[in-house]
Amino acid sequence: MDPTQHSHKSMEELLLQSEYSPEELSTLIDIDLDLIRHAAFQGRLKARIVDHDIISIQRDDALTWLKTR
């Protein structure tokens, strides 16, 4: 998936997932993608990062981050 584009999955599909790409999370919670990336790289949003690429974000970690924002 091109990291500059948001997910083309339906909201229903996104709600059923247990992990998200940064783009999917941005679409689901309607928060700027750069804000999600910044939080992940700063360690405020727990994410799986490989070679400076955010691979995935677990739903529970996203919920925890949202509660502490």
Side-chain angles (χ1 to χ4, degrees), residues 19-61:
E19 68 178 22
Y20 304 98
S21 69
E23 296 80 14
E24 291 170 335
L25 185 59
S26 174
T27 297
L28 182 64
I29 61 176
D30 195 28
I31 290 182
D32 184 70
L33 180 57
D34 288 335
L35 183 67
I36 291 170
R37 288 179 175 152
H38 190 67
F41 287 124
Q42 284 192 331
R44 292 182 288 117
L45 170 58
K46 186 176 175 186
R48 188 168 146 231
I49 300 173
V50 177
D51 295 329
H52 303 289
D53 291 321
I54 303 169
I55 304 300
S56 64
I57 300 162
Q58 296 295 314
R59 178 185 8 216
D60 289 343
D61 295 327

